[in-house]
Amino acid sequence: MMYPILLIALTLSLAASSRAGAERATIQSFNLVHQTREASMILTGRLMNLETDRPRIKVEKVLKGILNDEVIIVQWDRIRTFEMNPVRVAAGETLLLFLNATGPPYTPYDPNRSIFKLEPSWGDAYLEAIRSILTFDATMTKTARTTALVEMLNSSNPFRQGAAAEIIAQTTPALGNFRTPPLIPSLQQLVQSTEHFVASLSIRALGRIGTRSVVPILISLFGSPHAPIAEQAYYALKTIIQTDLTFDPKAPHKERTQAMQAWQAWWKEKR
């Protein structure tokens, strides 16, 4: 089952070194959900070396796909095209790869975004999120898909929360892939998340669901100290009520708070 591109924006980078000198590669805006669905193989492994265009990886775990060899070679034809401020990756560090399993050498699913370093502080959480996405994709009924999304939203893992919200935000309700009412209470909690990417994705998901019962909480976010959260709430609210709002999400916090109060009074009268 495939879905539109789903983005959890994490900016990560990778530096490649060869004996002749340093070649640099950068992985930007890593796309967890989209890569999980589209790649034919997902694996983690320890870096043995990272040559100019043929990194060698000793595989530790395969999360998707079938692998027969312990050591793989990844063909990286475009490695010389990437140039940004890199973070060095040393031999022995753990990487996560999204590949097309064409046989050795394997092909990166997207040369820009198919390999990155798993930081020790959140590597397991990231792998858990991938497993949840794969579990959701494997479900066969609307009830099971709904249950899987609720469980992801209610977890303590922000990557799982964000992935579930992204699936909801990018799925057309008319497709009937899952039931939306059970998702609303969890999403309403997550719009207050201190992880801003989770909050933003949850707001988008509420806008996609489109029920007018969430209007008050969206208006309350106009007064968020974080302008991007206020902006996301503004667009979600416009989607739901189909009204051109007089609100500047980029205004100073004090002005947005005053506007929030005015819109709260307006909604109280309107409903």
Side-chain angles (χ1 to χ4, degrees):
M1 183 184 302
M2 299 296 177
Y3 291 83
I5 291 176
L6 308 173
L7 178 64
I8 296 177
L10 304 172
T11 302
L12 304 160
S13 57
L14 175 69
S17 298
S18 68
R19 294 175 185 172
E23 297 286 352
R24 292 184 171 182
T26 297
I27 293 78
Q28 227 184 350
S29 298
F30 188 79
N31 190 323
L32 172 65
V33 180
H34 178 53
Q35 300 287 64
T36 300
R37 287 186 162 83
E38 299 293 340
S40 58
M41 177 179 291
I42 306 167
L43 57 89
T44 65
R46 298 248 173 212
L47 179 66
M48 297 176 66
N49 70 335
L50 189 53
E51 298 172 353
T52 306
D53 61 355
R54 294 171 71 86
R56 298 182 71 229
I57 309 292
K58 184 173 182 180
V59 177
E60 294 180 333
K61 298 177 182 177
V62 179
L63 292 93
K64 178 182 180 183
I66 300 172
L67 185 68
N68 298 319
D69 303 314
E70 278 196 1
V71 177
I72 67 169
I73 298 173
V74 179
Q75 187 70 44
W76 207 288
D77 293 333
R78 294 175 54 199
I79 201 164
R80 292 185 180 85
T81 66
F82 313 132
E83 185 70 34
M84 291 185 70
N85 298 324
V87 173
R88 290 210 171 272
V89 175
E93 291 184 322
T94 300
L95 306 177
L96 177 64
L97 297 90
F98 287 70
L99 305 171
N100 289 321
T102 57
Y106 294 89
T107 304
Y109 171 71
D110 178 338
N112 285 327
R113 299 181 299 196
S114 286
I115 176 172
F116 73 92
K117 178 181 174 182
L118 277 174
E119 299 292 345
S121 62
W122 49 262
D124 288 343
Y126 217 94
L127 299 185
E128 184 184 41
I130 292 174
R131 292 189 184 97
S132 292
I133 296 164
L134 296 176
T135 298
F136 172 82
D137 283 342
T139 57
M140 302 301 293
T141 68
K142 183 185 296 187
T143 298
R145 287 192 288 267
T146 305
T147 299
L149 288 173
V150 169
E151 196 275 331
M152 290 170 71
L153 292 170
N154 291 341
S155 76
S156 59
N157 181 341
F159 296 123
R160 294 183 73 203
Q161 294 169 344
E166 190 74 68
I167 290 169
I168 298 162
Q170 294 291 339
T171 301
T172 302
L175 294 178
N177 288 316
F178 43 79
R179 295 182 175 88
T180 55
L183 308 174
I184 294 173
S186 299
L187 289 168
Q188 287 181 310
Q189 293 291 323
L190 291 180
V191 299
Q192 306 289 349
S193 174
T194 56
E195 297 285 355
H196 293 162
F197 80 92
V198 174
S200 180
L201 290 168
S202 299
I203 293 166
R204 286 176 53 198
L206 288 177
R208 171 66 77 171
I209 291 172
T211 178
R212 294 168 76 88
S213 66
V214 304
V215 166
I217 195 167
L218 293 176
I219 292 176
S220 72
L221 294 172
F222 285 11
S224 169
H226 305 287
I229 296 297
E231 185 171 21
Q232 197 67 250
Y234 165 66
Y235 289 121
L237 186 60
K238 284 179 64 175
T239 299
I240 293 172
I241 65 175
Q242 297 292 304
T243 299
D244 191 14
L245 307 177
T246 304
F247 176 72
D248 181 4
K250 294 182 172 60
H253 183 218
K254 183 177 180 180
E255 293 181 21
R256 288 190 286 104
T257 300
Q258 292 171 344
M260 174 197 73
Q261 294 168 346
W263 279 106
Q264 286 174 329
W266 171 81
W267 182 250
K268 187 177 181 179
E269 292 181 1
K270 183 178 177 61
R271 64 177 181 176

